[in-house]
Amino acid sequence: MRTAQQLLADSAVIAVVGASRDPGKAAHRVPAQMQRYGWRIIPVNPTVDELFGERAYPSLADIAHPVDLVNVFRPARDAVEVVRQAAAIGAPAVWLQLGIVSAEARRIAEAAGMDYVEDRCLIVERAAAGLSRLP
């Protein structure tokens, strides 16, 4: 199991389930900042067509290309299904944002052989490790 910082270092494409169009929400600010540091952000939100200059998808299954990491901005009760979907598309890793914890989601991820992080923030871990994907 890779550490949170190893996951970020190894990932280039992050699908963000629950990405928000509201700049006041963490589900907008966090992916926007990751994008500013060079990660490709693929928004997963069934209510919008585009976010962060990228096409938005209604579900993980609708994404036509591989993703390195699935980042979850949904309540813990929804995380179980998101992790199932991440396993179904062959995502190598899942990351539940700060405040999101699910023992069942963890079991599903581990059974599928996925790396799993919960209750941690992408931008905090990125900053702590001094990571950037910019040239």
Side-chain angles (χ1 to χ4, degrees), residues 7 32 62 71 86 96 98 103 117 120 122 134:
L7 283 176
D62 295 312
N71 180 226
L96 278 56
L98 194 61
V117 174
R120 295 179 82 172
L122 286 176
L134 297 173

Side-chain angles (χ1 to χ4, degrees), residues 35-68:
Q35 188 180 56
R36 281 194 295 277
Y37 279 90
W39 279 267
R40 181 172 181 206
I41 300 299
I42 306 299
V44 179
N45 180 326
T47 67
V48 296
D49 293 327
E50 183 179 301
L51 278 171
F52 318 113
E54 290 275 355
R55 176 182 170 194
Y57 294 86
S59 73
L60 289 172
D62 295 312
I63 300 172
H65 49 80
V67 298
D68 301 313

